[in-house]
Amino acid sequence: MTLAVDVTATRGVFEVRAAFEAEAGQTIALLGPNGSGKSTLVSTIAGLLPPTEGRIALDDTVLDDTENDLHLPPERRPIGVFFQDLLLFPHLSATENVAFPLRARGVPKPEARLRAAELLKRLGLVKRAGARPRELSGGEAQRVALARALVVEPELLLLDEPLSALDSQ
């Protein structure tokens, strides 16, 4: 698997430009101060923010190509995303939050719930499966968000500041 990124992404008046390749098994870290565009780039690769210019490809699958007016929507990308803000749906249970990406991809509800429950069990959250995000501890909520990113068995996993909740000591 090769991820090839050569894009410009714009949020309001802010613009970020990035070009890199990542091979299978390779870990790439985007470093920079707050406001430098790391999250904007993650959102662009995930398909949540279309690039204003450029191309993103994962192996032979073109995810974005502005020259050819191509933008593959997030639910059709083989990508899982773990955001620093977790972005769990407050009205859904842990199981329903984890099942959501599968449902967005057209997986029938019973199968999506079963796969979500199995992953929550593996992450030690079987007893919290029915809990809503406000009822979860910070660590439990992080594991639910991670399960949601992994449940689609992604070819690529994007982590947006996954360690931001850790103490600095």
Side-chain angles (χ1 to χ4, degrees), residues 95 98-99 101-103 105 107-122 147 150-154:
T95 299
V98 175
L102 296 170
R103 297 288 295 133
R105 287 168 167 80
V107 174
K109 190 173 187 175
E111 181 184 342
R113 289 179 61 83
L114 178 64
R115 287 172 56 185
E118 288 171 355
L119 192 49
L120 287 171
K121 181 179 179 182
R122 287 178 50 204
L150 294 173
V151 74
V152 295
E153 299 176 6

Side-chain angles (χ1 to χ4, degrees), residues 37-62:
K38 300 178 301 290
S39 294
T40 296
L41 185 57
V42 167
S43 293
T44 301
I45 296 168
L48 300 169
L49 177 68
T52 50
E53 184 179 319
R55 187 174 195 272
I56 301 172
L58 188 59
D59 285 334
D60 295 330
T61 304
V62 177

Side-chain angles (χ1 to χ4, degrees), residues 10-11 17 22 24 29 33 37 45 50 58 80 106 108 123 126 134 145 150:
T10 305
R11 245 188 214 178
R17 173 96 179 102
I45 296 168
L58 188 59
L123 292 174
V126 70
R134 70 181 174 280
L150 294 173

